[in-house]
Amino acid sequence: MDVDSLPARAVLQALPQPILVLDEKRGIQFVNYAAEAFFGGSMSVLTRQTLDDLIAFGSPIISLVETVSQRRAPMTEYRVRVGSSRFGDERIADVFATPISDTDGRVAVLIQERTMADKIDRQMVSRGAARSVTGLASMLAHEIKNPLSGIRGAAQLLEQTIAADEVPLARLIREETDRIVHLIDRVEVFGDERPMEREPINIHVVLDRVKLLARNGVARGITFHEEYDPSLPPVFGNRDQLIQIFLNLIKNASEALERTPKPEIKLTTAFRPGIRISVAGVAERISLPLEIVIEDNGPGVPPDILPFLFDPFVTTKTNGSGLGLALVAKIVGDHGGVIDCDSRPGRTRFRILLPVASGAFQTPADAEEVSPL
């Protein structure tokens, strides 16, 4: 393909992936619209730079382009960290480079950012881990609860008969027994596969209810900001479970903000028609256009924990059980949605994508498809 021709440029401009055309000295000759959006600059600005100016020093993309230019053969690097002076965060992407012709050293570079697909894959792994925990819990819960009930009853009897200085020890046995039972109850929730009652629900009514509960409880003293899209269609869901999802997320955010001087939580809703996923047992792809974001200005999630945040028993809290976010992910999955987290110091965003109630919206033909799950 001759990238200098108008038809070729029209084709490249129509592609949704960022594409750069480089000369033999890695000077940028052409970028498509997707690349302008990816790097946050217009073609006139980007074409005055070289790839070395645009990409962070030491990036494997530089060596990839050099090799392709020398060998005149296409090459691919998977899961490359793409850092640039034009955006703050590193992004994970697959990078495809190919020579344009045999007569010069020009190279075309295509960047396929790995975001939603990777996050959905991680959630499928998290749900699999949750199901493993469920199987173990379902098998052992009954056998564990029976002796715990006897231990608790014996502790209560001891409190009435032993000396006063020994009562705290008996009370400790009873309280710890209650704590273990409560933990088992929470794990058992993962095994509840009964169909839930669902109906079309205005997500803003749910968020207002959650905000009211939080302001008078776990988030007292925290400033809330809202950016709502009032035209959102209803979500097909269970009101109580949706309240549980967002109350849990706000509770986590509030706890993370305990040492933040000016704690803030921002609630955002938007309509994003660009994601469709395939799920097992459903012939048609499901659209997830409803986006709800819970954002706080706390210290952020440690990078080593972030990829496993929705796995059971993963927590940053000293006395946490690590089941709260795993349960949130399960409930979101039961609603046919997905959840992801993007975090850095000073900004943590939990984003939930949910389907609309049947008949409320028709999926556009050009929506991005993510598969398989």
Side-chain angles (χ1 to χ4, degrees):
M1 178 184 290
D2 182 4
V3 295
D4 295 323
S5 67
L6 291 178
R9 285 177 175 251
V11 170
L12 294 178
Q13 292 287 20
L15 293 175
Q17 292 85 12
I19 294 177
L20 302 88
V21 175
L22 311 174
D23 62 24
E24 61 275 5
K25 295 182 179 179
R26 298 195 294 279
I28 300 173
Q29 291 189 326
F30 170 83
V31 295
N32 65 352
Y33 297 139
E36 289 179 322
F38 184 82
F39 290 105
S42 65
M43 183 186 297
S44 61
V45 172
L46 296 176
T47 51
R48 292 199 296 267
Q49 302 182 52
T50 67
L51 183 66
D52 303 63
D53 298 326
L54 196 62
I55 300 296
F57 176 78
S59 171
I61 299 176
I62 304 294
S63 58
L64 174 67
V65 171
E66 285 182 345
T67 305
V68 169
S69 180
Q70 294 170 1
R71 296 183 180 179
R72 305 286 174 85
M75 295 182 65
T76 302
E77 287 277 358
Y78 293 99
R79 299 183 183 276
V80 177
R81 293 187 178 274
V82 182
S84 172
S85 58
R86 304 200 66 85
F87 52 78
D89 300 332
E90 282 192 336
R91 303 174 182 178
I92 305 298
D94 299 335
V95 182
F96 308 86
T98 184
I100 291 179
S101 71
D102 295 330
T103 58
D104 57 38
R106 289 190 298 168
V107 173
V109 177
L110 182 147
I111 300 172
Q112 177 66 62
E113 187 175 6
R114 301 192 59 87
T115 53
M116 182 55 65
D118 276 353
K119 290 170 181 176
I120 292 176
D121 286 344
R122 284 202 299 268
Q123 286 192 42
M124 295 303 104
V125 173
S126 296
R127 291 177 195 172
R131 283 192 290 270
S132 298
V133 173
T134 299
L136 179 62
S138 299
M139 180 177 63
L140 296 179
H142 180 72
E143 298 301 325
I144 292 176
K145 281 185 175 180
N146 278 343
L148 286 177
S149 178
I151 293 171
R152 191 185 191 282
Q156 284 181 304
L157 291 174
L158 283 174
E159 287 184 49
Q160 301 171 11
T161 58
I162 59 179
D165 60 337
E166 295 176 337
V167 168
L169 293 176
R171 186 177 297 121
L172 176 64
I173 295 172
R174 177 169 55 82
E175 292 173 351
E176 286 300 293
T177 302
D178 289 341
R179 187 177 65 84
I180 295 171
V181 170
H182 178 64
L183 178 60
I184 293 174
D185 288 340
R186 294 189 68 188
V187 174
E188 280 188 300
V189 172
F190 288 98
D192 188 358
E193 299 297 339
R194 293 173 298 176
M196 61 181 170
E197 296 181 2
R198 294 201 281 179
E199 60 183 346
I201 296 173
N202 185 331
I203 197 66
H204 297 128
V205 173
V206 170
L207 292 175
D208 286 343
R209 176 70 174 179
V210 169
K211 187 175 65 175
L212 178 63
L213 292 171
R215 276 180 165 169
N216 292 281
V218 295
R220 188 179 289 109
I222 294 177
T223 301
F224 279 82
H225 302 281
E226 298 90 27
E227 287 186 9
Y228 291 163
D229 179 351
S231 66
L232 287 188
V235 61
F236 190 60
N238 181 283
R239 179 178 178 274
D240 291 340
Q241 291 197 358
L242 289 173
I243 288 175
Q244 183 179 0
I245 289 171
F246 296 112
L247 193 58
N248 194 309
L249 292 176
I250 289 179
K251 177 178 179 291
N252 284 352
S254 302
E255 292 172 350
L257 291 169
E258 287 180 352
R259 298 183 180 180
T260 301
K262 295 181 179 179
E264 297 180 353
I265 294 177
K266 183 178 179 182
L267 309 178
T268 306
T269 63
F271 192 81
R272 310 291 188 195
I275 295 292
R276 289 193 296 168
I277 67 171
S278 295
V279 296
V282 179
E284 297 182 354
R285 296 180 186 273
I286 298 175
S287 176
L288 304 177
L290 302 184
E291 180 186 78
I292 305 98
V293 177
I294 310 293
E295 180 178 331
D296 67 70
N297 62 336
V301 179
D304 55 333
I305 291 180
L306 191 59
F308 315 103
L309 197 58
F310 299 103
D311 287 357
F313 305 117
V314 174
T315 181
T316 59
K317 303 174 187 176
T318 305
N319 298 315
S321 64
L323 292 175
L325 287 177
L327 181 58
V328 165
K330 177 190 182 296
I331 296 175
V332 171
D334 290 344
H335 279 76
V338 295
I339 180 172
D340 65 71
C341 178
D342 175 36
S343 182
R344 65 170 183 259
R347 195 207 71 181
T348 297
R349 301 173 76 246
F350 282 89
R351 182 176 67 148
I352 295 175
L353 299 176
L354 293 171
V356 301
S358 178
F361 173 73
Q362 297 295 323
T363 301
D366 60 348
E368 177 187 351
E369 296 182 353
V370 181
S371 64
L373 291 184

